[in-house]
Amino acid sequence: MIHQGEYIRDILRGEVGKTVHAHGWVKTRRDSKGVSFVQLNDGSSFQDLQVVIEEGALPEEAMKQTTTGACVRVTGELVASPAAGQAVELKAKEILVYGGADPATYPLQKKGHTMEFLRDIAHLRTRSNTFGAVFRVRNALAHAIHNFYRERGFVYVHTPIITASDCEGAGAMFGVTTLDMMNLPRNDSGAVDYSKDFFGKPAYLTVSGQLNVEIFALSFTNVYTFGPTFRAENSNTPRHLSEFWMIEPEMAFCDLEGDMELAEAFLKYIIKYVMEACPDDLEFFNKRIDNTVLATLSQVVENNFEHVTYTEAIRLLEKSNRTWEFPVFWGADMQSEHERYLTEEVFKKPVIVTDYPKEIKAFYMRANDDGKTVRAMDVLAPRIGEIIGGSQREERYDVLLDKIRKQELNEEAYWWYLELRKYGSAPHAGFGLGFERVMLYLTGMKNIRDVIPFPRTPGSADF
Ligand code: 4AD
Ligand code: MG
């Protein structure tokens, strides 16, 4: 059997008089005198297909089972709809119930569920208006990303998920092992003997594909990777996931200015793309989730991003006369409250902060001549804070080796990364865009757990 019917999205645009087979899940059913109205949705569009069933037109047994949550196939004729907001509706002639849904226990009732409750039924929340819209937008966003890079001639690279090197040097990695936890092999000094482990050494889930994608940039010039990344930080916030998706472009013959240009063009492109691809879904978010979403998105597309150095940003924060939860001083890492102040109150638009102190940034960022800062850039967005983190990379062998040693990183693990600087090194730059952070921006959803199909966070890995 193959789905020979049409998507509801296409049926809604069909001609009056046409016979169609519609497949989908019943969102609601309303019975009035002599007629029943069933809202049918197959995920292909925000809008439901209204099925009109005249009393006695269909077998009683099938009608009994046609309740909220049931999966059905309806065959009938498209007729002009008197209802507002839809040109046609389906006059049912035949119904096949694939699977019923007991109204006494079906958890997804008409409305009024909290996001938390819906998270607990992630196997059914995908059928709700909100999550239908979220995951259609997510799909369009993924397409937008690939289109953007393909149009610019970037090569798409699949970087590994299991790795032996810590890209961010921050140690927030999940271990990957097949060792028996109850009976760990030990060496003479009592430490775990990883030579007995599956890969013969400690292995982890990657925090970023950057180090690998740099290899490809230094062969294919412009490249990107787009895949899942993992962070074992105990950050229980509405903006952090333990498993999230990241897009990481990397460009040879490119400095920080070029990197920032690409980041701005990229964000504008993908926002515009989704606005064109999913108008109904965004309309819904604007109406029901956050009524500033559409205005904010248009504003981002139409205006230039602001640029400030980290040093200037700290000065602005110090001048603000606010009491911060996290103290502000030169050298401090910026927290969400600071990022939001800059974007929402000072500049009222996305801001690119550059040249951070070297102590708070990763080892691979290019050292500035001042000896204190590195060629880093973070793109901060209103409501979200950091949405992109990037930098020009340190392409000088001696400088890089010195940094790895000073930060007491495992020099051996980075041998190949160092060799890239020994053989045909080139200036290069790149960044990472958090996929779910953009999703928050596009939808106005408040919690990052609600823009990924199956969220993984500290203490939670259901479904
Ligand atoms: O700033 P980050 O840690 O940068 C990197 O990983 C670099 N290697 C990227 C590069 O230059 N190629 O992460 C990049 C972005 C952040 O700006 C944020 O949007 C997102 O990834 N991100 C997270 N998203 C959700 N949950 C988390 N725990 C995240 N951590 C980072
Ligand atoms: Mg960052």
Side-chain angles (χ1 to χ4, degrees):
M1 188 168 79
I2 180 167
H3 176 26
Q4 295 286 12
E6 289 175 84
Y7 291 115
I8 283 177
R9 176 185 59 217
D10 303 322
I11 292 175
L12 286 166
R13 291 196 222 108
E15 301 259 317
V16 167
K18 193 177 166 195
T19 293
V20 298
H21 307 279
H23 300 73
W25 289 265
V26 176
K27 220 169 232 175
T28 58
R29 167 173 168 180
R30 183 165 58 83
D31 296 332
S32 67
K33 230 175 157 188
V35 61
S36 297
F37 298 97
V38 167
Q39 301 297 321
L40 200 64
N41 195 287
D42 65 353
S44 64
S45 77
F46 185 83
Q47 205 182 339
D48 305 319
L49 174 66
Q50 173 154 290
V51 179
V52 184
I53 308 164
E54 279 164 13
E55 202 174 310
L58 301 177
E60 210 167 298
E61 189 45 39
M63 280 310 288
K64 249 208 276 185
Q65 289 184 62
T66 305
T67 55
T68 300
C71 184
V72 300
R73 183 191 71 197
V74 184
T75 304
E77 186 191 333
L78 284 184
V79 296
S81 176
Q86 59 195 24
V88 292
E89 56 190 29
L90 182 61
K91 194 171 161 201
K93 296 221 168 92
E94 219 183 284
I95 191 161
L96 171 68
V97 179
Y98 288 119
D102 183 357
T105 56
Y106 184 62
L108 195 68
Q109 292 305 328
K110 204 172 168 190
K111 56 177 167 228
H113 296 311
T114 63
M115 292 296 168
E116 288 77 11
F117 172 78
L118 290 168
R119 229 171 272 151
D120 289 338
I121 52 162
H123 60 308
L124 297 170
R125 70 172 181 174
T126 39
R127 296 186 200 164
S128 67
N129 283 336
T130 303
F131 289 92
V134 164
F135 295 121
R136 273 186 301 275
V137 165
R138 195 176 161 107
N139 169 59
L141 181 60
H143 284 288
I145 286 158
H146 287 298
N147 278 5
F148 176 84
Y149 289 111
R150 201 173 47 199
E151 281 176 17
R152 280 167 179 70
F154 282 55
V155 171
Y156 174 35
V157 184
H158 299 115
T159 49
I161 292 188
I162 297 174
T163 177
S165 45
D166 182 356
C167 172
E168 293 304 296
M173 305 182 89
F174 290 102
V176 176
T177 180
T178 52
L179 291 178
D180 177 0
M181 291 296 143
M182 301 302 285
N183 190 16
L184 289 169
R186 307 261 173 198
N187 57 28
D188 294 345
S189 57
V192 174
D193 181 3
Y194 281 101
S195 70
K196 303 262 172 16
D197 202 353
F198 191 87
F199 297 106
K201 59 181 168 184
Y204 310 92
L205 294 180
T206 189
V207 295
S208 157
Q210 180 197 320
L211 303 190
N212 298 90
V213 96
E214 281 186 50
I215 296 178
F216 274 72
L218 295 173
S219 304
F220 295 87
T221 307
N222 288 331
V223 301
Y224 72 108
T225 180
F226 177 11
T229 52
F230 308 86
R231 306 261 166 120
E233 320 160 84
N234 198 7
S235 301
N236 243 316
T237 82
R239 302 179 310 124
H240 287 88
L241 289 163
S242 311
E243 175 180 300
F244 64 98
W245 286 63
M246 187 154 53
I247 302 93
E248 297 183 272
E250 191 71 34
M251 296 162 287
F253 323 115
C254 182
D255 58 11
L256 196 70
E257 275 66 37
D259 204 29
M260 291 190 285
E261 263 170 47
L262 188 85
E264 182 167 342
F266 178 41
L267 279 173
K268 287 179 169 169
Y269 179 102
I270 60 183
I271 289 173
K272 222 165 127 188
Y273 183 103
V274 172
M275 287 175 88
E276 279 162 21
C278 305
D280 293 354
D281 296 316
L282 293 189
E283 194 65 54
F284 166 80
F285 291 122
N286 202 58
K287 214 155 94 192
R288 301 294 291 275
I289 304 291
D290 177 346
N291 61 16
T292 64
V293 158
L294 283 180
T296 308
L297 295 178
S298 309
Q299 201 236 2
V300 169
V301 170
E302 283 153 22
N303 292 285
N304 292 334
F305 292 7
E306 198 66 42
H307 291 248
V308 287
T309 63
Y310 168 89
T311 304
E312 281 162 27
I314 292 295
R315 212 174 290 137
L316 289 168
L317 293 169
E318 281 171 342
K319 263 194 358 209
S320 71
N321 288 325
R322 291 223 167 182
T323 23
W324 302 107
E325 191 188 337
F326 296 91
V328 169
F329 55 93
W330 199 97
D333 209 351
M334 260 192 251
Q335 303 294 326
S336 163
E337 55 173 339
H338 311 132
E339 296 173 345
R340 295 191 60 169
Y341 174 76
L342 292 173
T343 54
E344 289 167 24
E345 295 183 43
V346 181
F347 297 112
K348 299 187 174 16
K349 54 161 132 163
V351 181
I352 310 187
V353 181
T354 60
D355 303 290
Y356 284 78
K358 62 174 191 244
E359 287 78 14
I360 58 172
K361 287 291 180 191
F363 72 97
Y364 52 71
M365 298 190 182
R366 193 177 199 280
N368 279 324
D369 294 341
D370 64 8
K372 293 194 298 196
T373 58
V374 288
R375 289 253 77 190
M377 65 104 174
D378 278 5
V379 181
L380 315 179
R383 266 196 318 111
I384 316 293
E386 182 188 336
I387 194 162
I388 282 180
S391 63
Q392 184 171 336
R393 319 305 189 187
E394 185 53 76
E395 84 282 18
R396 298 162 295 186
Y397 181 85
D398 296 339
V399 183
L400 184 65
L401 181 61
D402 188 51
K403 277 183 112 175
I404 287 177
R405 287 184 176 160
K406 284 212 173 104
Q407 295 195 18
E408 292 175 20
L409 299 171
N410 180 2
E411 193 178 315
E412 261 163 61
Y414 296 106
W415 70 270
W416 51 267
Y417 192 69
L418 282 159
E419 276 205 355
L420 284 179
R421 276 73 183 165
K422 226 153 82 179
Y423 306 123
S425 190
H428 62 290
F431 62 79
L433 169 69
F435 190 64
E436 287 76 20
R437 298 262 173 103
V438 195
M439 280 295 297
L440 287 176
Y441 205 58
L442 282 167
T443 60
M445 296 292 283
K446 303 281 173 299
N447 195 311
I448 199 161
R449 293 166 177 81
D450 299 326
V451 295
I452 187 163
F454 307 106
R456 273 82 182 93
T457 51
S460 166
D462 297 327
F463 299 97

